[in-house]
């Protein structure tokens, strides 16, 4: 009886953990999970004879005295690599010479992490080691067990060995470094070093606290129900067994297809939350792989394309002070223009003034810049040079360069702020944000027009846009009648925008597009915003206490309320954000992913809502349909896993009667 319950709990916990850590699709709350876990822990404590190493309670082990060297059962080879597409073509030519044209290839992202080998016997994880030199590695089983994306028990009692790449998500890396800095410890140079440092902890409970994950590739199947004949099948099988695989993988017909994949990811990689430094291209057919074999160090059936470097050094010409719509004063690096990962960069983020001090950045320094997840590159460090010491230290400004008021610290914020509500730079930033795509999307009125309108005193606050006549635009330099009309009409059109866009446009601190959408789902009219309590706001999923307070204060400020009333007199329609015209999609939830050809995702979402349907940003069992456009990513994969119906663009258009 007890053993049955123990087995039941283990299976349940394994299933939930698999969905959470491997599929990224939580099925139950943390609370429910913890309850099951505690029950299992208690039962095992009372009945220690039933404890087995593959129990979910056995992830964190003790402290080791050192890492033992082990010989790998199967050698972990290196890969030949190139930065050059023609070399890829040459590599492929050798293969087609042997096997004829159109040898299928599989493209996988090359994760910039730590290669490891994992062995499973009868479906249980028994042994794991670092790559080392490919022949000898270090045994780190205990630490690997703490990584939740590594299954302790497979869904089948198979004997397999897999290779994986351990990585730390970029966001977790930044968090860990922030904590290290706060504790006065040295930050890690990059996510790979952080992952390596975390894996080589003698105390496995420290590894367990670090957010590490793993993508699995290259299965070696010794004994299992299936024996794949292609690499692609092997990868799908590994997924079935319970391993996490990278969703960005593609089977292509020939080398041109692989090159297309490389080109696509050269820029798209910055959107990922993990570092990737290239693409691994493998011959799909395992029989061909066998025939091709290995050179002394690398397989002939695989090669790696490396992306151009993401880091480069250049000279810091100046530090410019930017003032955001919330008054945040931020330093921006002005650089000697340089080519970084395929684009010319002349500005980079310096985060905040503390960072400048910490890195001792001085104008004139040689600095290392890096492109990370963000589009805007950042300055990582000062390169060692003799000149550095001769340069004057950087002085943090004490007054706002725009209005001359003192710059102040704000409790709980790292940035410094200009708190003058009439600061011209803040007012202009708010105006620019108002017309931005994310907010009211008035694209014919750009920053230079705003500057002119502001300087002529025609527009000081967003409400003033709606007081403008076409004649006002004609007062601006170089503006002719046609564009004056365009700008006037675009502003009038914006009155029809949704309530969530309007809320976004208001520049309430910490309330961006996504937060505004969450709010409007619960608070459907502008009037309701004025009466909503701070408690109700903080109960909304995704709204923290701080944001709730900001929103509450915004809607209880007399000046703001007056302005909101004024907006109404100009005929804004935002009360019913989207008019529901039919209910044909009532009860259906859609998730949009990838790029659509005939419309933007926002437009598609409006169509769905106008027909009574709902949209969501993440795929779950509750999702009715996933609409997949070009280059759809992980959401598509998840939909496939969950068996959610996937529609392409044409099918969607047919469904809503537009084709
Ligand atoms: Zn100011």
């Amino acid at each position: 009886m007890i053993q049955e319950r123990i087995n039941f709990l283990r299976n349940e916990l394994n299933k939930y953990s698999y969905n959470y850590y491997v599929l990224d699709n939580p099925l139950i709350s943390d609370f429910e999970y913890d309850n099951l876990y505690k029950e299992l822990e208690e039962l095992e404590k009372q009945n220690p004879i039933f404890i087995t190493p593959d129990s979910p309670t056995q992830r964190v082990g003790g402290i080791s005295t050192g890492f033992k060297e082990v010989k790998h059962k199967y050698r972990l080879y290196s890969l030949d690599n190139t930065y050059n597409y023609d070399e890829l073509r040459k590599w492929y030519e050798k293969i087609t010479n042997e096997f004829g044209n159109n040898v299928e290839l599989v493209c996988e992202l090359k994760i910039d992490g730590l290669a490891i080998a994992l062995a499973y016997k009868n479906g249980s994880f028994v042994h794991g080691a670092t790559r080392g030199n490919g022949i000898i590695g270090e045994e780190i089983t205990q630490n690997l067990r703490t990584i939740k994306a590594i299954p302790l028990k497979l869904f089948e009692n198979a004997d397999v060995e897999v290779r994986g790449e351990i990585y730390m998500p970029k966001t977790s890396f930044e968090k860990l470094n922030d904590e290290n800095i706060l504790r006065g410890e040295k930050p890690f140079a990059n996510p790979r070093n952080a992952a390596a440092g975390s894996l080589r902890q003698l105390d496995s409970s420290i590894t367990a606290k670090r957010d590490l994950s793993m993508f699995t590739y290259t299965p070696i199947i010794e004994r299992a129900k299936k024996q794949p004949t292609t690499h692609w099948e092997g990868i799908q099988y590994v997924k079935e067994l319970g391993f996490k695989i990278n969703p960005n993988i593609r089977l292509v017909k020939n080398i041109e297809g692989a090159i297309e994949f490389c080109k696509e990811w050269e820029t798209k990689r910055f959107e990922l939350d993990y570092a990737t430094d290239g693409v691994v291209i493998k011959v799909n057919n395992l029989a061909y792989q066998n025939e091709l074999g290995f050179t002394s160090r690398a397989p002939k059936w695989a090669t790696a394309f490396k992306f151009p470097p993401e880091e480069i050094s250049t000279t810091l010409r100046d530090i410019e002070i930017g003032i955001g719509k919330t008054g945040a004063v931020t330093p921006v690096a002005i650089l000697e223009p340089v080519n970084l990962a395929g684009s010319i960069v002349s500005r980079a983020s310096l985060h905040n003034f503390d960072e400048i001090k910490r890195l001792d950045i001085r104008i004139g320094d040689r600095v290392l810049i890096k492109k990370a997840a963000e589009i805007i590159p950042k300055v990582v460090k000062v390169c060692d040079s003799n000149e550095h010491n001769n340069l004057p230290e950087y002085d943090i400004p004490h007054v706002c360069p725009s209005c001359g008021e003192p710059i102040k610290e704000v409790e709980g914020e790292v940035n410094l702020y200009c708190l003058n509500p009439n600061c011209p730079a803040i007012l202009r930033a708010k105006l620019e944000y108002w017309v931005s795509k994310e907010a009211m999307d008035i694209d014919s009125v750009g920053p230079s027009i705003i500057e002119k309108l502001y300087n002529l005193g025609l527009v000081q606050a967003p409400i003033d846009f709606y007081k403008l006549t076409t004649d006002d635009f004609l007062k601006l330099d170089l503006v002719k009648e046609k564009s004056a009309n365009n700008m006037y009409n675009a502003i009038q059109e914006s009155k029809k925008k949704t309530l969530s866009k309007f809320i976004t446009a208001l520049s309430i601190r910490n309330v961006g597009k996504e937060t505004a959408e969450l709010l409007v789902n619960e608070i459907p009219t502008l009037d309701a915003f004025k009466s909503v309590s701070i408690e109700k706001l903080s109960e909304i999923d995704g709204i923290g206490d701080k944001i709730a307070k900001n929103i509450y204060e915004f809607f209880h400020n007399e000046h703001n309320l007056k302005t909101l009333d004024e907006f109404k007199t100009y005929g804004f329609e935002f009360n019913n954000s989207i008019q529901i015209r039919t209910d044909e999609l009532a009860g259906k939830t859609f998730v949009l992913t990838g790029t659509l050809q005939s419309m933007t995702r926002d437009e598609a979402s409006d169509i769905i809502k106008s027909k009574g349907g709902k949209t969501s940003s993440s795929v779950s069992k509750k999702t009715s349909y996933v609409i997949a456009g070009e280059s759809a990513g992980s959401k598509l994969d998840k939909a496939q896993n969950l068996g959610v119906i996937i529609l392409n663009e044409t099918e969607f258009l047919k469904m809503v009667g537009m084709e």
Side-chain angles (χ1 to χ4, degrees):
M1 263 314 277
I2 288 170
Q3 194 172 9
E4 265 170 36
R5 182 67 188 164
I6 286 179
N7 285 339
F8 169 79
L9 289 169
R10 283 178 188 167
N11 285 337
E12 286 291 283
L13 288 166
N14 280 339
K15 182 177 83 191
Y16 294 134
S17 168
Y18 170 75
N19 274 279
Y20 189 97
Y21 291 101
V22 177
L23 302 182
D24 213 4
N25 175 43
L27 296 182
I28 56 169
S29 68
D30 290 354
F31 177 76
E32 290 166 293
Y33 184 91
D34 290 344
N35 279 343
L36 293 173
Y37 187 92
K38 276 180 204 146
E39 188 189 341
L40 175 62
E41 210 172 28
E42 193 52 38
L43 282 177
E44 286 180 341
K45 210 166 120 196
Q46 287 162 6
N47 308 278
I49 48 158
F50 294 137
I51 297 181
T52 58
D54 60 13
S55 170
T57 58
Q58 303 300 305
R59 281 198 178 268
V60 180
I63 297 174
S64 341
T65 48
F67 301 110
K68 197 174 78 202
E69 288 204 329
V70 285
K71 185 165 185 285
H72 290 296
K73 191 166 172 189
Y74 306 97
R75 181 171 168 186
L76 281 81
Y77 283 88
S78 317
L79 282 177
D80 286 329
N81 61 58
T82 175
Y83 289 94
N84 186 312
Y85 293 130
D86 278 335
E87 281 183 27
L88 287 182
R89 292 188 178 101
K90 274 184 206 146
W91 167 76
Y92 187 66
E93 209 182 290
K94 276 190 208 153
I95 292 164
T96 49
N97 283 344
E98 204 156 328
F99 300 105
N101 286 337
N102 293 328
V103 174
E104 280 184 338
L105 301 168
V106 176
C107 308
E108 294 165 321
L109 291 182
K110 191 169 175 296
I111 310 302
D112 191 13
L114 259 97
I116 49 146
L118 304 174
Y120 288 77
K121 275 268 176 257
N122 290 318
S124 289
F125 174 45
V126 289
H127 177 267
T130 62
R131 179 179 184 283
N133 62 13
I135 298 165
I136 309 280
E138 275 180 325
E139 207 245 47
I140 50 164
T141 313
Q142 199 58 261
N143 287 348
L144 289 171
R145 291 174 65 87
T146 66
I147 298 170
K148 307 272 192 3
I150 295 180
L152 296 182
K153 182 93 190 138
L154 303 180
F155 291 129
E156 194 190 304
N157 288 336
D159 295 347
V160 292
E161 177 159 330
V162 296
R163 275 68 193 276
E165 196 82 7
I166 302 282
Y167 68 95
M168 184 179 283
K170 289 176 185 168
T171 38
S172 309
F173 160 72
E174 274 160 23
K175 213 172 125 228
L176 176 66
N177 261 358
D178 286 347
E179 288 164 8
N180 275 0
I181 292 165
L182 275 179
R183 276 198 303 264
E185 288 168 23
K186 211 176 146 228
F188 289 106
N190 54 46
R192 179 162 36 86
N193 288 7
S198 304
L199 264 189
R200 295 194 84 267
Q201 292 287 336
L202 291 174
D203 180 353
S204 66
S205 71
I206 296 180
T207 312
K209 283 189 201 118
R210 303 281 170 82
D211 184 23
L212 296 174
S213 193
M214 182 188 77
F215 288 122
T216 310
Y217 53 95
T218 324
I220 299 162
I221 291 164
E222 296 173 332
R223 185 186 58 79
K225 285 188 188 143
K226 288 187 198 168
Q227 195 52 254
T229 58
T230 64
H231 178 62
W232 184 259
E233 278 171 25
I235 288 292
Q236 303 310 319
Y237 191 32
V238 155
K239 199 162 135 189
E240 278 172 40
L241 290 175
F243 292 102
K244 179 174 175 178
I245 67 156
N246 189 297
N248 304 305
I249 174 172
R250 192 180 293 165
L251 178 64
V252 295
K253 293 253 172 293
N254 53 38
I255 196 68
E256 295 309 317
I259 290 172
E260 202 177 298
F261 184 87
C262 296
K263 284 185 176 159
E264 230 174 274
W265 282 100
E266 225 177 294
T267 47
K268 239 167 69 180
R269 65 184 152 139
F270 299 111
E271 296 164 17
L272 299 170
D273 194 26
Y274 46 84
T276 154
D277 55 359
V279 172
V280 177
I281 304 164
K282 293 174 182 162
V283 169
N284 189 33
N285 188 318
L286 295 182
Y288 290 0
Q289 284 193 8
N290 263 332
E291 257 185 75
L292 285 162
F294 298 82
T295 65
S296 62
R297 57 177 290 277
K300 291 184 193 166
W301 44 266
T303 191
F305 174 76
K306 297 265 265 181
F307 295 131
E310 292 174 49
E311 281 184 346
I312 199 160
S313 68
T314 184
T315 305
L316 177 69
R317 282 181 172 172
D318 198 5
I319 293 176
E320 211 175 81
I321 306 298
I323 297 168
K325 60 188 165 61
T326 58
V329 180
T330 45
V332 180
I334 306 299
L335 308 163
E336 189 76 45
V338 65
N339 189 335
L340 174 67
S343 54
I344 302 292
V345 169
S346 58
R347 299 164 74 86
S349 165
L350 284 165
H351 292 288
N352 52 55
F353 294 106
D354 283 355
E355 183 80 352
I356 297 184
K357 227 193 225 162
R358 187 175 74 80
L359 298 173
D360 188 16
I361 295 174
R362 305 176 184 187
I363 294 168
D365 265 334
R366 193 87 195 150
V367 290
L368 188 70
I369 58 167
K370 179 179 178 137
K371 214 166 210 180
E374 314 79 40
I375 311 286
I376 305 164
K378 59 183 182 186
V379 174
V380 188
K381 63 170 195 173
V382 174
C383 307
D384 284 331
S385 75
N386 296 330
E387 290 82 51
H388 174 79
N389 292 325
N390 298 328
L391 296 167
E393 273 181 45
Y394 179 72
D395 268 334
I396 295 172
H398 299 287
V399 295
C400 169
S402 174
C403 68
E405 291 279 312
I407 294 174
K408 299 226 170 81
E409 284 182 27
V410 170
E411 211 192 311
E413 304 274 347
V414 281
N415 285 320
L416 299 174
Y417 284 86
C418 168
L419 297 174
N420 171 10
N422 299 315
C423 172
I426 300 177
L427 294 178
R428 279 224 309 263
K430 280 187 178 169
L431 294 171
E432 282 178 20
Y433 188 67
W434 186 270
V435 302
S436 72
K437 215 168 179 55
E438 198 168 274
M440 297 302 262
D441 194 10
I442 310 174
D443 65 357
S444 50
V445 182
S448 67
I449 294 287
I450 289 178
E451 194 181 336
K452 288 174 188 162
L453 289 168
Y454 184 87
N455 289 341
L456 284 177
L458 289 169
V459 175
Q460 293 253 306
I463 187 80
D464 300 329
F465 282 126
Y466 301 91
K467 298 173 184 165
L468 295 172
T469 63
T470 35
D471 284 345
D472 288 328
F473 287 108
L474 290 170
K475 290 175 194 160
L476 311 179
D477 277 353
L478 303 169
V479 171
K480 299 276 182 302
E481 194 155 340
K482 190 171 167 224
S483 58
N485 279 327
N486 281 347
M487 288 189 269
Y488 174 82
N489 290 333
I491 289 172
Q492 301 310 311
E493 273 299 302
S494 72
K495 294 176 186 172
K496 295 179 191 155
K497 294 277 149 106
T498 60
L499 180 60
S500 74
K501 276 189 155 313
F502 181 78
I503 297 290
T504 310
L506 291 174
S507 294
I508 304 168
R509 190 174 286 181
N510 303 118
V511 180
K513 176 172 172 271
E514 311 233 315
T515 308
E517 280 169 6
L518 291 175
L519 287 166
V520 170
N521 275 337
E522 301 293 323
I523 311 167
T525 67
L526 188 61
D527 285 328
F529 269 92
K530 295 178 195 165
S531 54
V532 68
S533 70
I534 202 159
E535 289 77 21
K536 160 93 187 164
L537 283 166
S538 44
E539 275 167 21
I540 299 173
D541 214 15
I543 310 289
D545 290 348
K546 197 169 126 192
I547 301 178
K549 190 168 162 270
N550 290 343
I551 298 164
Y552 183 84
E553 280 173 2
F554 184 93
F555 285 99
H556 286 79
N557 170 304
E558 215 171 302
H559 172 76
N560 292 342
L561 290 176
K562 221 179 105 209
T563 314
L564 291 175
D565 283 340
E566 215 181 326
F567 273 114
K568 276 194 171 173
T569 65
Y570 284 102
F572 274 74
E573 294 174 13
F574 41 63
N575 273 343
N576 36 1
S577 56
I578 298 225
Q579 300 223 321
I580 297 180
R581 295 186 198 93
T582 68
D583 60 357
E584 60 189 279
L585 300 180
K588 303 287 184 208
T589 305
F590 290 73
V591 172
L592 294 148
T593 178
T595 316
L596 302 177
Q597 300 304 311
S598 60
M599 63 183 82
T600 65
R601 291 218 293 248
D602 280 345
E603 285 163 347
S605 161
D606 287 352
I607 293 170
I608 291 163
K609 287 176 191 157
S610 75
K611 292 180 184 293
K614 278 191 195 163
T615 57
S616 163
S617 59
S618 63
V619 180
S620 73
K621 285 229 162 103
K622 288 182 194 149
T623 310
S624 321
Y625 305 102
V626 166
I627 302 169
E630 288 280 299
S631 318
S634 59
K635 288 179 190 170
L636 180 57
D637 233 61
K638 202 155 162 186
Q640 279 162 344
N641 277 326
L642 292 174
V644 173
I645 299 172
I646 297 160
L647 302 174
N648 62 29
E649 184 167 353
T650 319
E651 288 164 336
F652 167 65
L653 292 174
K654 279 186 184 149
M655 181 179 212
V656 295
M658 290 178 65
E659 197 183 288

